[in-house]
């Protein structure tokens, strides 16, 4: 009997070693003569490192930076935190439905605020029987600095939706969807904006052409001159309908005007002005009139599954605002992240943390840090459930929906992807055949136009890990 047990144990060990020899073989190709790779695999149930290669070397993480931001948020804000948008007044509502005072919108860094939420807030005001405001409509932005762009983001990320401008208020991701619909041949097409920001200029020089011709539309924003003029040029075929999304300059201004128009549409008259306040002050005698909130689990789910960059920047600034009781900024947010790294018994000075999303090409971290974070999250059941459910599922959803299909890794691997120029990363969790939970982190960088190869290697490694049976 003892011989049988020994043989089984030896077979399991050899299989495990064979699995990691497969990984070594994957990496023994000319591609990695020019491209860097770092890997670390850790068995969370047996508390041991199974494999590592260059795990201490610094890499640009791309959107794997979101793992750090998510973990820091769960640690400092807690798994029950709600991102709240509130409406206050410094006056009273009389019997005639007249608010004698200002209406103050106080945003709470909620990155998933949407049109329905605005409608909800307006409905709450209507239910308060407010018909007229004898005061100003004020958007209180005193909780965040004035920098809408991270210092190290590249200039040519404008005006893309993945590089939305940063504020403590965001509506529909601080972007606008521009839908172009053909009209008559030789005429300008129809333009539909969502949200319907009526303060945006539209420069429509596009032409509708016959269905036999190909569309060659250019849809952009006049970002070079820092304004919100939407530019459409080129041709659109009768057979096509084309939608592009662009970010907005000073998005809070458009949001405030949109809110004002919603007030008017619901029969609430404003006698005062529309203002933005950045003064760090407390409005006197504030009374809460309306509020809307989203739980951190919903925010992190969109943040990680869709790799939503603006959420990372808003969370980073919220952390700075909350933890240091000051105006939210990336600088103070990074300090919170570094404090969290210290809790992991790692030296934050060994890394360079620039933003909360990973869009900056100057973030530098390593596999070791990511593994320590994944281990820390795994220790707390409530935090782990939120974070685990926020990650894309291989072959199922998010940024992994098309990867690892019809393999042992499908519907098993939960991991965060990361992609910027020359960089591809993948880190998260996978269960092996025995049911043990493994944490893994794979960084590749300095590849030249070969993102497909990087992803293929990552996927093969994940499949190998899912097949381990020891």
């Amino acid at each position: 009997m003892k011989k049988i047990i020994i043989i089984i144990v030896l077979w399991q060990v050899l299989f495990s070693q064979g699995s990691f020899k497969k990984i070594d073989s994957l990496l023994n190709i000319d591609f990695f003569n020019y491209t860097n790779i770092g890997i670390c695999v850790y068995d969370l149930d047996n508390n041991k490192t199974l494999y590592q290669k260059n795990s201490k070397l610094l890499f640009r993480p791309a959107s794997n930076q979101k793992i750090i931001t998510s973990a820091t948020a769960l640690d400092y804000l807690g798994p029950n935190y709600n991102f709240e948008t509130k409406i206050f007044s410094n006056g009273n509502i009389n019997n005639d439905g007249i608010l004698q005072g200002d209406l103050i919108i106080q945003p709470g860094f909620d990155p998933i605020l949407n049109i329905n939420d605005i409608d909800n807030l307006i409905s709450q005001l209507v239910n308060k029987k407010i018909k007229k405001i004898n005061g100003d409509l004020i958007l209180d932005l005193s909780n965040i600095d004035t920098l809408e762009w991270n210092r190290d983001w590249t200039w040519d990320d404008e005006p893309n939706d993945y590089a939305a401008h940063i504020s403590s208020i965001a509506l529909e991701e601080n972007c606008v969807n521009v839908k172009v619909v053909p009209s008559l041949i030789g005429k300008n097409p129809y333009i539909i904006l969502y949200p319907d920001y009526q303060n945006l200029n539209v420069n429509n020089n596009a032409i509708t052409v016959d269905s036999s011709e190909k569309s060659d539309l250019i849809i952009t924003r006049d970002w070079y001159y820092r304004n919100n003029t939407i530019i459409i040029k080129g041709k659109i075929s009768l057979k096509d309908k084309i939608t592009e999304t662009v970010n907005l300059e000073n998005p809070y201004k458009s949001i405030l005007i949109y809110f004002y128009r919603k007030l008017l549409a619901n029969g609430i008259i404003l006698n005062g002005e529309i203002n933005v306040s950045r003064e760090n002050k407390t409005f006197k005698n504030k009374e809460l009139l309306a509020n809307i909130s989203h739980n951190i689990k919903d925010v992190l789910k969109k943040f990680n599954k869709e790799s939503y960059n603006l959420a990372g920047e808003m969370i980073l600034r919220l952390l700075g605002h909350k933890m240091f009781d000051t105006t939210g900024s990336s600088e103070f947010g990074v300090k919170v992240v570094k404090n969290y790294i210290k809790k992991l018994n790692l030296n934050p000075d060994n890394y360079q943390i620039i933003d909360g999303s990973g869009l900056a090409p100057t973030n530098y971290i390593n596999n070791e840090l990511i593994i320590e974070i994944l281990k820390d999250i795994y220790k707390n059941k409530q935090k782990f459930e939120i974070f685990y459910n926020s990650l894309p599922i291989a072959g199922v959803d998010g940024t992994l929906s098309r990867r690892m299909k019809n393999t042992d890794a499908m519907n098993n691997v939960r991991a965060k992807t990361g992609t910027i120029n020359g960089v591809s990363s993948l880190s998260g969790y996978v269960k092996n055949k025995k049911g043990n939970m493994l944490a893994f982190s794979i960084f590749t960088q300095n590849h030249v136009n070969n993102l497909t190869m990087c992803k293929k290697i990552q996927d093969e490694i994940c499949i190998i890990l899912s097949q381990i049976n020891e």
Side-chain angles (χ1 to χ4, degrees):
M1 185 66 179
K2 288 183 179 179
K3 289 182 179 180
I4 295 174
I5 293 173
I6 291 170
I7 291 171
I8 292 172
V9 171
L10 284 172
W11 181 85
Q12 289 175 341
V13 171
L14 288 171
F15 183 88
S16 174
Q17 290 176 345
S19 296
F20 296 115
K21 284 181 180 178
K22 288 180 182 178
I23 295 177
D24 287 332
S25 296
L26 279 174
L27 307 184
N28 189 25
I29 56 176
D30 290 343
F31 179 70
F32 290 110
N33 292 333
Y34 305 94
T35 299
N36 306 118
I37 188 164
I39 306 172
C40 191
V41 182
Y42 188 89
D43 189 325
L44 292 162
D45 294 319
N46 287 325
N47 296 314
K48 63 178 181 180
T49 300
L50 300 180
Y51 184 89
Q52 59 183 343
K53 182 182 180 66
N54 298 329
S55 62
K56 290 183 180 291
L57 291 184
L58 295 179
F59 286 78
R60 290 170 286 159
S63 282
N64 270 208
Q65 190 81 9
K66 292 179 173 68
I67 293 175
I68 304 175
T69 306
S70 297
T72 307
L74 285 169
D75 190 71
Y76 284 93
L77 301 176
N80 298 312
Y81 186 81
N82 288 315
F83 293 75
E84 293 189 301
T85 303
K86 301 177 179 178
I87 298 180
F88 293 96
S89 177
N90 52 11
N92 298 314
I93 306 169
N94 66 26
N95 293 332
D96 295 324
I98 299 174
L99 173 61
Q100 299 290 357
D102 301 318
L103 193 69
I104 305 155
I105 305 171
Q106 192 173 77
F109 297 86
D110 183 353
I112 61 173
L113 193 71
N114 57 51
I115 292 297
N116 291 334
D117 294 325
I118 297 296
D119 291 340
N120 189 321
L121 288 169
I122 298 290
S123 293
Q124 291 180 52
L125 297 178
V126 171
N127 290 338
K128 296 281 185 181
K129 308 298 183 183
I130 299 174
K131 297 178 181 177
K132 185 184 293 185
I133 301 168
N134 281 339
D136 295 337
L137 174 61
I138 300 172
L139 178 58
D140 179 11
L141 295 182
S142 61
N143 56 5
I144 192 169
D145 65 10
T146 60
L147 300 178
E148 293 185 20
W149 197 258
N150 187 279
R151 72 181 197 197
D152 283 11
W153 286 2
T154 56
W155 64 269
D156 58 346
D157 280 330
E158 282 276 30
N160 296 300
D161 56 346
Y162 61 77
H165 287 227
I166 306 158
S167 177
S168 59
I169 189 167
L171 178 61
E172 300 291 349
E173 304 181 25
N174 280 350
C175 292
V176 59
N177 292 326
V178 183
K179 184 176 182 179
V180 183
V181 179
S183 59
L184 298 175
I185 293 175
K187 300 295 184 181
N188 298 129
Y190 303 111
I191 309 299
I192 303 169
L193 302 182
Y194 182 84
D196 185 17
Y197 292 122
Q198 296 184 23
N199 64 314
L200 305 184
N201 296 319
V202 178
N203 188 347
N204 181 8
N205 289 319
I207 296 295
T208 303
V209 296
D210 186 78
S211 57
S212 62
E213 295 190 55
K214 290 184 178 180
S215 298
D216 63 353
L217 274 185
I218 295 175
I219 303 172
T220 187
R221 177 176 63 78
D222 190 12
W223 58 271
Y224 186 83
Y225 289 102
R226 302 182 68 85
N227 66 61
N228 281 329
T229 297
I230 305 299
I231 299 171
I232 303 106
K233 56 186 178 180
K235 299 179 294 184
I236 182 168
S237 172
L238 278 174
K239 66 185 179 208
D240 293 331
K241 292 180 181 179
I242 298 173
T243 300
E244 292 285 348
T245 304
V246 297
N247 66 28
L248 293 174
E249 185 87 18
N250 299 323
Y252 57 87
K253 292 183 179 179
S254 295
I255 296 169
L256 186 56
I257 293 172
Y258 182 85
F259 191 90
Y260 165 68
R261 292 183 182 278
K262 281 285 186 178
L263 285 176
L264 294 182
N266 282 271
I268 301 176
I269 298 170
L270 178 71
N271 280 342
E273 298 179 348
I274 302 173
N275 290 315
V276 174
S277 173
R278 290 193 178 272
E279 296 181 24
N280 191 8
K281 65 180 181 179
T282 302
F283 290 94
K284 296 180 180 179
N285 304 318
K286 292 194 300 184
E287 179 184 352
L288 181 64
L289 298 180
N291 74 299
I292 196 81
S293 67
H294 292 111
N295 188 265
I296 191 170
K297 68 178 181 181
D298 298 315
V299 170
L300 293 185
K301 191 170 184 179
K302 183 177 178 67
F303 179 40
N304 288 319
K305 283 194 182 290
E306 299 180 18
S307 209
Y308 175 26
N309 291 326
L310 179 60
E313 303 312 316
M314 294 180 75
I315 292 170
L316 190 70
R317 285 151 182 78
L318 169 65
L319 288 167
H321 171 62
K322 286 282 187 182
M323 297 305 112
F324 288 98
D325 192 26
T326 187
T327 301
S329 67
S330 61
E331 178 185 2
F332 282 105
V334 167
K335 286 183 179 180
V336 181
V337 171
K338 289 185 174 181
N339 286 340
Y340 173 65
I341 293 174
K342 286 179 183 177
K343 287 185 177 184
L344 303 176
N345 295 316
L346 294 172
N347 183 357
D349 294 335
N350 290 338
Y351 317 104
Q352 182 160 283
I353 309 294
I354 298 298
D355 64 13
S357 63
L359 192 57
T362 47
N363 291 297
Y364 286 102
I365 63 171
N366 58 22
N367 304 120
E368 180 184 55
L369 172 58
I370 292 296
I371 291 297
E372 289 302 315
I373 290 173
L374 295 176
K375 286 163 62 177
D376 183 62
I377 293 173
Y378 190 67
K379 293 174 186 176
N380 184 296
K381 184 177 180 181
Q382 192 176 8
K383 289 197 295 186
F384 175 71
E385 182 179 1
I386 291 172
F387 179 69
Y388 187 70
N389 289 331
S390 79
L391 295 172
I393 306 171
V396 176
D397 67 12
T399 54
L400 285 179
S401 62
R402 297 182 180 180
R403 294 173 61 176
M404 294 174 256
K405 281 187 173 293
N406 302 316
T407 71
D408 289 323
M410 180 175 175
N411 207 18
N412 179 358
V413 168
R414 304 279 185 110
K416 185 71 203 74
T417 56
T419 306
I420 55 175
N421 287 340
V423 173
S424 180
S425 52
L426 186 70
S427 301
Y429 302 98
V430 57
K431 287 185 179 180
N432 64 18
K433 285 289 187 182
K434 192 178 179 181
N436 285 12
M437 184 70 80
L438 310 181
F440 69 90
S441 179
I442 309 168
F443 292 163
T444 51
Q445 75 174 28
N446 299 332
H447 71 84
V448 179
N449 299 323
N450 217 331
L451 180 61
T452 300
M453 175 63 80
C454 293
K455 290 182 177 180
K456 181 180 179 182
I457 295 294
Q458 293 163 7
D459 292 354
E460 288 296 327
I461 291 172
C462 287
I463 293 167
I464 292 170
L465 296 180
S466 67
Q467 293 173 341
I468 293 174
N469 188 14
E470 65 163 309

